[in-house]
Amino acid sequence: MKPKRSKAPLNYSARWKYIVLAVTVITMLLSALPSVYGEREALHVSNRNGTLNAVDLSLYLSQAGVETHSITQQDDSFVVAFASPGQQENARQILSQHIDNQHTIALALEAAAPDWLGNLGFSPIKLGLDLRGGVQFLLEVDVASVYQSHAQALLDELRQDNRRLSGRANNGELILSFQNDADLRETRTQIRQHFSQWSITQDDSQLRLVLSTEEQASILSLAVQQNLQTMRGRIEELGITEAIVQRQGENRIRIELPGVQDPAAAKDIIGATASLAFHALHNQNSARSLVVKDQHGNPINLVRKPILGGEHIIDARANIGEMGSAEVNITLDAAGGRLMTNFSRSNIGNPMATVFSEYSRGQNGQSQKASEVISIATIQSQLGNRFRITGAGSLHEAQELALLLRAGSLTAPVTIIEERTIGPTLGAENVKSGFAALALGLSLTLVFIACWYRRLGWIANLALLINMVCLFGLIALLPGAVLTLPGIAGLVLTVGMAVDTNVLIFERIRDKLKQGRNLAQAIDSGFASAFSSIFDANLTTMIVAIALYSIGNGPIQGFALTLGLGLLTSLFTGVFTSRLLINHFWGKNTSREEKI
Amino acid sequence: MQNFNRLTQVRSLMSLVSVALLLASLFFMIERGYNWGLDFTGGVVADILLDPNLEQTDIKAHLESDLGHEVQILSMQGDGKWQLRYGVQDNDSIAALNDSVALLSSEFQILNSSVIGPQVGQDMIEQGSLAILLCFVLTMIYLSYRFEWRLALGSIIALSYDILLVLGLFACLQLEFNLTVLAALLAVMGYSLNDSIIISDRIREVLRSQPNGDIDTLLDQSIASTISRTIVTSGTTLVTVSALWLLGGPALEGFAIALCLGIASGTWSSISIGTVLPKMMGLQAQHYQVVDDKDPIDAMP
């Protein structure tokens, strides 16, 4: 950028710099291009068992008068793209009448750009929830079942000391019945001493135990926090960065998934709240055993208290094992590792069952737990904090299981109680007004600069246009970058501020000309003396952009992203590009009469 | 020289106006408080499309009696388009709203709705304050490294003034203060600092080249030599942000207003407060006489 004055000729730019410029501009142009074409509404129809074919789908739709643009097969699903917008929902209903509910039909968007752009790896800019609409979920953390499991755990614990103890846990309340007063008093003292978080009321020969309000509040808070964490982890796994996961009210979690037009895929991950637990097998069917069916429907007696629960799982990965079947490799935390070591040491040769539970909301609104024994493995040796389970099904299923386990395991079940797709109408309106503002701002700036600086102004304008191309290209190129309405505002602000770099340089060049230098000298020293100010000014704005990005969320992040990227591209175009252009046109002009 | 002296008077006068505006801003901030947006207070906002023949008062009366609490209703662009706002009453607000609106008009559409709980708002306030604080600290560190403390402090005070002025305007006009406005405030910080730095850079350069000059004259000279840049950049930025105000739609209105005032004020304060204060604090040419070898570009004539 700054040629060494002693050696290189004045205003000489090496050929490779022009090549860098050309390559960058062409790449960014290609990257920005798919966004111009926009996206087509589409449906994803899963076809995991391969019973569907494209011809049938096309026939169903054309019979109902829905015009399709194309039907293509991607992995194990069909992508049905529509020629015109607004047919998605209609088409979904038509298709769902014809195919059974084993196949999920998901709303989606497909790039409308010509295939060769897609094949080059360029995709349209990802738009945020406010620009394209999206899905919003409201989840409810079912704390009642946590209280229940606490009550059950207390009962199990008390029974270890007193095997004759009879009691039952019901709705988070533990009711203990006693034959004689001595037992009752002894247990009461024990609870007061060791389990002070339970408040006791006596009822003849019964003790009723309820968690104290403070304890309930802290359990609730922990359960929600853990679920928030888990959901954030899962969303991250889904690859949606601007998703919002927020606590709402006491025990609800709101999730916004911009760009996701189909609840199905997200719901698979978010909705199927799963947990895993390892149980020892119980040798006979008794009241104390837990009966869970396996994949073939055979009942299996398990010891009610799990060896350890999913909360100890740190990592879970699916891969193909030595025998060619899918397996999930599990890593436990230290406490979980100890539990597993202790248990497996004294149980070598005994079977251990892996129980997978899924929670769903029943018709009467109650959350239902569906458990299944997914594998019974014989413990071959003492297990540490790393081991693997097999029998999770196909690799795909193992991957899904691993994903759920890895993203964290839930101690409190979560159910989706509301699911809303935000219509794209409003988003389209926002896109329209945002880009109208951008177009107006950009054209006014171009006219102004062209009038103010005349010949040099055209360079600044060209630099500004290249800047916009680079900015759009970069946003499209960066994984995880999402354009939001505040993001467009950031673009508009960038247009205004990007010319600053050129303005600073041009003002310096004018100064130098006034001081009597010739144009070539003025250009050289103008660029050199403006650089420090340019650097300072951009750095401070960059500090703001980074602070905004790291602390802010949703809309603020969208703004910070375009602001920060805009600074980078405006440095590239304002300093590098405009220097190359000016060098090319006036670099050797030693006239002192030139006015700019 | 005559010209420059007049510029000094102009700067002092501008600073006095600034002080008056600042006092007015503080007054409004204390007196009126803010119209906090949903992001901070929590609550329900829903845009609905109803039969265009329905009257605002009827809709309001129906919703309030049916939902059992106060509902704010605003008319939006487009026939039969309304925005409803109310505090979160129970957890099923949207479902309840849906049922209630269904009674009102057989054909209706909830275009967009959001429910934000009060805890979330608290989080937002904390995060926002943290962001502003962090930006302040970081820029302070950078400025004091880059400039002598008098100029650095001048820039920071000018910057704080811009923020307070925008805050004052939002309090005065009771415009909704939401997350995007907060983002705009931070952008104003960046922009105002930008202006101050360009001028401070030039002041440093001028002070170095004329160590024996009169400080007011040198300050005037620095401002005069950067004024055309200041006007062009502020001009283009203001123009683009005004375009945003004009066409950006209601969602960006607060953002654009905050930026417009902030940019105008940033330009104003970097010329006035940003230079008058360092002089009052005793800025002298000798403060910049140590020529920094690491930075030869700045020392060029």
Side-chain angles (χ1 to χ4, degrees):
Chain A
M1 255 176 305
K2 284 177 290 165
K4 297 269 179 300
R5 235 148 292 181
S6 49
K7 291 176 191 152
L10 196 64
N11 295 337
Y12 170 77
S13 297
R15 177 148 301 178
W16 66 265
K17 287 187 181 171
Y18 287 99
I19 295 171
V20 166
L21 177 64
V23 169
T24 311
V25 171
I26 290 170
T27 314
M28 288 303 165
L29 197 60
L30 286 177
S31 171
L33 212 51
S35 310
V36 178
Y37 288 96
E39 291 178 313
R40 248 186 220 111
E41 288 181 356
L43 288 180
H44 285 187
V45 184
S46 78
N47 186 28
R48 277 178 199 163
N49 44 15
T51 52
L52 296 175
N53 68 68
V55 180
D56 286 348
L57 291 180
S58 157
L59 203 64
Y60 296 146
L61 288 170
S62 61
Q63 276 169 355
V66 176
E67 213 181 319
T68 52
H69 173 264
S70 63
I71 298 181
T72 47
Q73 184 152 21
Q74 267 178 17
D75 299 331
D76 51 4
S77 66
F78 286 106
V79 177
V80 184
F82 300 104
S84 56
Q87 299 186 308
Q88 238 174 346
E89 198 48 53
N90 184 17
R92 176 157 82 163
Q93 278 165 9
I94 294 164
L95 287 183
S96 63
Q97 286 165 5
H98 287 282
I99 59 184
D100 61 60
N101 52 11
Q102 286 242 310
H103 305 276
T104 57
I105 304 175
L107 304 178
L109 290 176
E110 285 297 312
D115 285 343
W116 61 271
L117 272 172
N119 293 341
L120 285 172
F122 296 115
S123 54
I125 289 177
K126 292 162 280 297
L127 300 178
L129 196 69
D130 51 353
L131 295 184
R132 74 154 39 152
V135 185
Q136 186 175 311
F137 291 103
L138 194 58
L139 309 180
E140 190 172 72
V141 180
D142 180 9
V143 239
S145 73
V146 185
Y147 300 151
Q148 173 69 13
S149 57
H150 274 258
Q152 187 65 49
L154 177 66
L155 182 61
D156 291 343
E157 194 114 20
L158 291 172
R159 271 197 182 134
Q160 284 192 343
D161 296 331
N162 179 1
R163 300 219 167 253
R164 288 166 299 145
L165 188 68
S166 81
R168 64 198 158 88
N170 187 18
N171 280 335
E173 193 184 45
L174 183 58
I175 301 161
L176 300 171
S177 310
F178 296 92
Q179 308 294 338
N180 59 58
D181 261 11
D183 266 6
L184 187 147
R185 258 178 272 122
E186 190 193 330
T187 307
R188 194 171 56 194
T189 324
Q190 189 192 2
I191 292 167
R192 285 218 174 113
Q193 276 174 355
H194 301 291
F195 306 100
S196 56
Q197 71 271 34
W198 294 86
S199 50
I200 309 170
T201 43
Q202 191 172 345
D203 198 3
D204 292 334
S205 62
Q206 282 191 332
L207 285 182
R208 286 172 178 272
L209 305 176
V210 182
L211 281 166
S212 67
T213 27
E214 300 92 61
E215 185 65 14
Q216 286 197 359
S218 90
I219 289 174
L220 169 66
S221 183
L222 275 175
V224 174
Q225 287 304 328
Q226 193 185 348
N227 275 304
L228 276 175
Q229 203 64 38
T230 307
M231 286 303 158
R232 292 204 175 105
R234 287 186 187 172
I235 303 291
E236 228 164 79
E237 301 266 353
L238 280 173
I240 304 162
T241 48
E242 207 163 344
I244 297 171
V245 182
Q246 274 176 340
R247 183 175 185 170
Q248 181 172 309
E250 277 259 271
N251 58 346
R252 292 184 174 186
I253 295 173
R254 185 166 55 103
I255 298 179
E256 279 181 20
L257 303 175
V260 177
Q261 286 243 318
D262 79 17
K267 220 171 154 183
D268 272 353
I269 303 299
I270 294 166
T273 55
S275 71
L276 194 74
F278 303 102
H279 289 261
L281 264 62
H282 207 279
N283 35 22
Q284 81 236 41
N285 190 355
S286 79
R288 290 198 193 158
S289 71
L290 179 72
V291 182
V292 177
K293 293 196 168 144
D294 71 3
Q295 282 142 311
H296 308 292
N298 305 320
I300 298 181
N301 292 319
L302 303 172
V303 174
R304 187 175 288 278
K305 190 174 190 287
I307 304 160
L308 64 101
E311 71 273 12
H312 293 291
I313 296 170
I314 296 174
D315 195 15
R317 276 164 211 277
N319 54 326
I320 295 289
E322 287 160 23
M323 308 300 286
S325 61
E327 59 183 35
V328 180
N329 288 303
I330 294 176
T331 311
L332 301 175
D333 63 7
R338 261 198 307 280
L339 286 170
M340 186 54 86
T341 310
N342 287 343
F343 176 80
S344 57
R345 187 193 297 134
S346 49
N347 285 283
I348 292 175
N350 289 344
M352 176 180 79
T354 310
V355 178
F356 182 72
S357 308
E358 264 187 304
Y359 297 88
S360 58
R361 179 138 302 221
Q363 284 181 333
N364 50 2
Q366 292 301 103
S367 79
Q368 294 171 337
K369 180 179 178 180
S371 298
E372 188 183 53
V373 173
I374 53 173
S375 80
I376 298 177
T378 309
I379 297 169
Q380 305 287 2
S381 60
Q382 185 178 331
L383 300 174
N385 62 342
R386 283 165 189 277
F387 61 99
R388 59 174 176 264
I389 52 171
T390 50
S394 70
L395 180 62
H396 183 78
E397 282 163 326
Q399 276 164 341
E400 233 162 55
L401 174 61
L403 168 64
L404 290 170
L405 295 170
R406 183 164 67 240
S409 129
L410 296 162
T411 49
V414 170
T415 45
I416 297 177
I417 54 164
E418 195 182 311
E419 168 196 323
R420 201 167 40 234
T421 310
I422 295 168
T425 352
L426 195 83
E429 238 167 71
N430 282 339
V431 173
K432 220 171 75 188
S433 50
F435 279 99
L438 182 64
L440 182 66
L442 186 63
S443 39
L444 286 175
T445 305
L446 290 176
V447 170
F448 179 72
I449 293 292
C451 293
W452 191 274
Y453 289 111
R454 276 157 293 180
R455 276 183 299 165
L456 279 183
W458 290 106
I459 302 289
N461 282 344
L462 191 56
L464 184 57
L465 290 175
I466 293 177
N467 189 357
M468 282 295 110
V469 169
C470 288
L471 196 44
F472 277 109
L474 212 54
I475 294 172
L477 212 55
L478 277 184
V482 179
L483 188 67
T484 60
L485 189 58
I488 296 180
L491 285 177
V492 177
L493 190 63
T494 300
V495 170
M497 290 175 72
V499 291
D500 189 40
T501 305
N502 280 126
V503 170
L504 280 165
I505 295 168
F506 295 167
E507 289 298 325
R508 292 282 181 166
I509 294 179
R510 277 186 172 176
D511 282 357
K512 305 291 168 189
L513 282 175
K514 268 187 213 149
Q515 288 166 15
R517 312 253 184 118
N518 69 40
L519 186 58
Q521 284 169 337
I523 287 170
D524 187 49
S525 57
F527 267 93
S529 57
F531 187 73
S532 133
S533 295
I534 292 171
F535 182 77
D536 272 358
N538 282 292
L539 189 71
T540 47
T541 314
M542 198 51 140
I543 291 176
V544 171
I546 291 173
L548 274 174
Y549 192 82
S550 53
I551 293 180
N553 49 23
I556 289 202
Q557 252 185 359
F559 172 67
L561 181 80
T562 49
L563 190 67
L565 290 179
L567 286 175
L568 293 181
T569 55
S570 60
L571 265 185
F572 172 75
T573 54
V575 180
F576 183 75
T577 307
S578 61
R579 182 70 199 260
L580 290 187
L581 293 172
I582 288 176
N583 278 358
H584 180 73
F585 289 112
W586 296 291
K588 301 284 175 280
N589 189 335
T590 50
S591 156
R592 282 171 206 275
E593 310 305 319
E594 292 287 338
K595 281 248 161 94
I596 62 159
Chain B
M1 276 304 129
Q2 186 68 42
N3 239 342
F4 285 155
N5 278 337
R6 218 169 342 152
L7 195 53
T8 308
Q9 284 167 4
V10 170
R11 283 195 286 126
S12 309
L13 199 68
M14 283 169 79
S15 301
L16 280 180
V17 173
S18 302
V19 173
L21 286 173
L22 182 64
L23 290 177
S25 289
L26 290 174
F27 169 77
F28 285 123
M29 284 164 70
I30 296 163
E31 190 61 22
R32 297 210 176 159
Y34 289 99
N35 172 13
W36 295 104
L38 184 77
D39 299 329
F40 297 107
T41 58
V44 178
V45 169
D47 295 345
I48 57 169
L49 193 61
L50 290 175
D51 181 350
N53 296 323
L54 287 167
E55 294 291 325
Q56 177 163 3
T57 45
D58 296 341
I59 301 172
K60 187 174 160 76
H62 167 81
L63 288 177
E64 286 189 352
S65 71
D66 202 49
L67 294 170
H69 54 74
E70 204 199 322
V71 176
Q72 249 184 303
I73 174 161
L74 304 163
S75 171
M76 292 171 75
Q77 289 169 334
D79 277 346
K81 227 176 180 184
W82 307 95
Q83 184 173 73
L84 310 175
R85 314 174 131 241
Y86 50 92
V88 183
Q89 305 293 320
D90 54 52
N91 286 326
D92 284 314
S93 332
I94 288 298
L97 177 68
N98 208 46
D99 297 344
S100 180
V101 175
L103 293 174
L104 197 62
S105 165
S106 57
E107 269 186 39
F108 73 99
Q109 215 181 334
I110 296 187
L111 298 169
N112 142 42
S113 63
S114 29
V115 187
I116 297 179
Q119 291 95 333
V120 179
Q122 193 57 43
D123 276 3
M124 293 284 174
I125 292 176
E126 280 166 21
Q127 275 190 347
S129 320
L130 193 62
I132 291 201
L133 199 71
L134 188 74
C135 285
F136 255 103
V137 171
L138 286 176
T139 47
M140 200 109 87
I141 291 171
Y142 177 71
L143 279 177
S144 47
Y145 159 75
R146 202 72 180 84
F147 299 104
E148 197 257 348
W149 69 271
R150 290 175 183 84
L151 276 181
L153 194 62
S155 305
I156 286 285
I157 291 175
L159 164 69
S160 317
Y161 162 78
D162 302 331
I163 302 281
L164 288 173
L165 203 65
V166 177
L167 286 175
L169 180 81
F170 272 75
C172 175
L173 300 180
Q174 289 292 300
L175 298 169
E176 187 188 312
F177 194 98
N178 55 28
L179 265 187
T180 57
V181 175
L182 185 76
L185 274 185
L186 286 154
V188 166
M189 277 178 74
Y191 184 85
S192 163
L193 209 58
N194 200 336
D195 257 2
S196 301
I197 284 174
I198 302 290
I199 293 176
S200 299
D201 252 359
R202 190 59 78 107
I203 291 175
R204 183 174 55 177
E205 202 180 303
V206 169
L207 290 184
R208 274 180 190 170
S209 62
Q210 303 171 44
N212 301 319
D214 170 52
I215 188 74
D216 265 330
T217 316
L218 294 182
L219 287 178
D220 287 347
Q221 192 186 331
S222 311
I223 290 170
S225 58
T226 50
I227 196 77
S228 98
R229 174 266 162 193
T230 307
I231 290 171
V232 175
T233 303
S234 299
T236 54
T237 317
L238 268 179
V239 162
T240 52
V241 174
S242 305
L244 205 58
W245 190 355
L246 209 64
L247 302 176
L252 285 179
E253 200 173 27
F255 178 86
I257 291 173
L259 267 182
C260 266
L261 180 70
I263 286 164
S265 160
T267 309
W268 174 282
S269 66
S270 58
I271 295 174
S272 55
I273 304 178
T275 58
V276 170
L277 277 181
K279 198 229 154 190
M280 282 168 71
M281 290 183 285
L283 181 73
Q284 299 276 309
Q286 56 258 34
H287 293 139
Y288 282 100
Q289 287 320 301
V290 193
V291 177
D292 194 350
D293 282 335
K294 286 181 291 182
D295 212 347
I297 300 162
D298 297 331
M300 292 210 349

